[in-house]
Amino acid sequence: MTVTTRPIGLFDMAAQQALIRADIDRRIASVLDSGRFVNGPEVGELEAALAGFSGAAHAVGVSSGTDALQIAMMAEGIGRGDAVFLPAFTYTATAEVPLVLGATPIFVDVEEASFNIDLADLRRRIALVEAEGRLRPRAVIGVDLFGRPADWPAIEALCAEKGMFALDDAAQAFGASLGNKRLGRWAGATALSFYPTKTLGCYGDGGALLTEDADRAALYRQLRTHGEGGSRYEVLRTGMNGRLDTLQAAILLSKMTLFESELAARRAIAARYAEGLGTAVGVPSEMAGAEHAWGIYSILLKDAAERDRVRAALSAETISSGIYYPKPLHHQPAYAPGHAASLAAPPALPVAESLCDRILALPMHPYLRMGDVDRIAEAVVAAVGR
Ligand SMILES: *Cc1c(COP(=O)(O)O)cnc(C)c1O
C-alpha cells in the first residue's frame, strides 16, 4: 500500500511566512538600508509592542530566553549560597542559569494535572533548605509549561511570605493569561523566548524580559549591555552581551501583526483535539479563569509501551510527534550529582519521572487544518484501542 497522505509536522513555520513574506522582506530591507544592526529603532518599537500586548509596564529585548532568565537573576544578585527552586520537568535552560551564576537549583516535583510546579512539594523543599541552613532560599522559577500558566497567585504569595524572588519562565507561554492579567504582569519578572518554534518566534535567537518594576527594567537594560551606565564605556556592574538584534526585532514586529489571530487558532485547535481524543488519553486541561497559550499540545498515555504504540501508529501515517521531555532534569548527567548531593532534595520526584515516560506532543501550530487535527486524533484513538 502506498502512503498518499500529506506529512504533518509538529510545527510549520512556512505557512506563516507565506502570509507575511513581503512585509518581512520590506522590514529586513529597511534595516539593511539603515545599517543600524545593533540597538536600531525596531528594538524599541518591538519593546513597546510587547509591553502593549502583555500590559506589562516595561519590556526589554534580549538575545534569547536563556539570557532573559540570566539577566533577571543577575539583577537580583543571585549567586553562590543561594537556592533557586524550579520544576524538574522543564527545558534544561531553566536549571542551567542558576548553575552558571553559582547558585544551587533545587528541583521540585510537578502536578500531573497541569505539568507545572507542585506547590505542596515546593513548600516542603523550601522548609528542608531552611532546616538544613546551608543555602539561602532566594528565588522560585515558575515555568508555564507548554503554554499553561503556573499557579502564579500561589507562587507569588509564597515568595512574598518567604522574601523570595518570583521569576516567570514564560518561554513557552507568551500570550497566556491568568485572571484577566496576561503573563508579563505576574511575578517579579517574566522571561520570554523568541526561538523559532515558540508561540512568538523570530528567525534565530531572541528573547525579552517583561516587568512592572521600572528599577528592574533599567537594570536589565544595563545588564544586557555589559553593565554600562548612562555613557558608553562607563561600566557600573558586571553584565553581558545580551542584546536583541535589530533584524530579529524587525521580523518580530511583522509577526506581531498575526499573533492575536494565531492564539485564537491555537485555542480552536486545542478544543478540536480535546473533542476528537475524548477520554481515550489524558488531554491537557484549561485552568479556570486562565487562558492557555497552547505552545505545545501534549497528551498523556498510560505507560511507555502505549506511547511507543501511538508514536509508531502516527509515524506510519507520516504524522510527527515529539517528547517534551524524555528525561527529568534531576536525571540529566550534568545535574544529577548536584541533586543527589543536596540534603534538601530527596532524590525521588515521582510525577516528573512518570510524565517523562508517558507524555507525547502532537502537532500544534496556528495553521494546522481541522481535517488534519481530526485525522491525528483518530489515529491516536485507534492506536490506544480504548
Ligand atoms: C525555550 C525555552 C527556554 C530558553 O529559550 P531560548 O530562547 O532557547 O534560550 C527556557 N525555558 C523554557 C521553558 C523554554 O522552553
Side-chain angles (χ1 to χ4, degrees):
M1 199 178 82
T2 50
V3 177
T4 53
T5 47
R6 238 172 339 99
I8 306 176
L10 263 186
F11 306 105
D12 178 350
M13 280 161 285
Q16 181 201 53
Q17 190 184 103
L19 292 178
I20 49 173
R21 179 59 188 258
D23 184 55
I24 285 178
D25 284 343
R26 184 183 59 73
R27 289 178 195 259
I28 287 176
S30 157
V31 176
L32 297 187
D33 289 341
S34 79
R36 297 183 65 184
F37 303 121
V38 174
N39 289 339
E42 287 84 354
V43 175
E45 280 172 45
L46 177 71
E47 290 173 342
L50 295 172
F53 183 87
S54 63
H58 308 276
V60 180
V62 298
S63 40
S64 69
T66 307
D67 290 342
L69 292 170
Q70 180 163 335
I71 287 169
M73 305 207 80
M74 287 170 83
E76 304 304 313
I78 290 168
R80 215 156 292 285
D82 292 334
V84 177
F85 298 82
L86 59 108
F89 188 61
T90 176
Y91 183 58
T92 179
T94 319
E96 174 183 33
V97 168
L99 278 166
V100 163
L101 296 176
T104 303
I106 304 290
F107 295 116
V108 179
D109 212 352
V110 295
E111 297 174 331
E112 176 157 325
S114 68
F115 309 140
N116 283 330
I117 199 161
D118 180 327
L119 265 292
D121 195 52
L122 174 59
R123 279 188 174 278
R124 188 163 68 95
R125 287 176 197 264
I126 292 171
L128 285 167
V129 168
E130 287 171 340
E132 193 187 2
R134 199 168 51 85
L135 299 167
R136 252 173 323 162
R138 277 298 302 282
V140 175
I141 309 180
V143 179
D144 311 298
L145 204 71
F146 306 146
R148 180 186 162 118
D151 188 349
W152 285 107
I155 296 171
E156 279 190 351
L158 181 56
C159 284
E161 175 194 326
K162 299 285 182 186
M164 298 170 75
F165 180 61
L167 175 56
D168 183 0
D169 179 348
Q172 301 180 2
F174 187 52
S177 63
L178 186 58
N180 296 326
K181 282 204 292 189
R182 282 208 158 113
L183 297 186
R185 299 182 63 201
W186 293 96
T190 297
L192 304 180
S193 164
F194 303 132
Y195 183 82
T197 56
K198 308 285 169 135
T199 54
L200 179 66
C202 61
Y203 291 146
D205 282 306
L209 277 161
L210 306 176
T211 182
E212 299 285 62
D213 182 329
D215 293 338
R216 284 202 168 98
L219 209 43
Y220 299 160
R221 290 179 193 284
Q222 270 182 16
L223 288 167
R224 75 172 172 185
T225 313
H226 304 290
E228 281 176 1
S231 66
R232 249 195 120 177
Y233 306 119
E234 185 200 24
V235 181
L236 298 179
R237 61 192 82 246
T238 306
M240 60 195 281
N241 179 353
R243 294 176 298 244
L244 177 68
D245 287 349
T246 309
L247 277 170
Q248 298 302 346
I251 289 159
L252 287 163
L253 279 167
S254 182
K255 292 199 181 197
M256 280 293 283
T257 63
L258 298 175
F259 190 57
E260 191 92 55
S261 67
E262 290 183 347
L263 283 172
R266 287 175 184 275
R267 270 198 298 280
I269 289 162
R272 186 80 163 222
Y273 264 134
E275 224 173 275
L277 294 166
T279 55
V281 298
V283 298
S285 59
E286 282 260 41
M287 192 174 166
E291 219 156 70
H292 202 303
W294 300 109
I296 291 173
Y297 191 88
S298 285
I299 59 170
L300 204 51
L301 286 317
K302 190 163 57 91
D303 52 30
E306 186 177 80
R307 181 172 68 182
D308 287 346
R309 259 197 339 272
V310 171
R311 282 207 97 178
L314 292 174
S315 174
E317 293 202 35
T318 65
I319 299 165
S320 300
S321 61
I323 299 177
Y324 308 102
Y325 295 91
K327 210 192 257 285
L329 292 184
H330 64 295
H331 287 175
Q332 290 290 355
Y335 308 143
H339 176 70
S342 168
L343 280 178
L349 293 150
V351 179
E353 288 160 24
S354 160
L355 290 178
C356 289
D357 291 337
R358 298 155 56 215
I359 198 115
L360 187 67
L362 302 179
M364 170 53 90
H365 61 79
Y367 304 97
L368 199 55
R369 302 174 202 182
M370 289 303 182
D372 286 345
V373 176
D374 295 342
R375 203 184 120 204
I376 297 162
E378 278 162 28
V380 170
V381 171
V384 299
R386 262 187 253 123

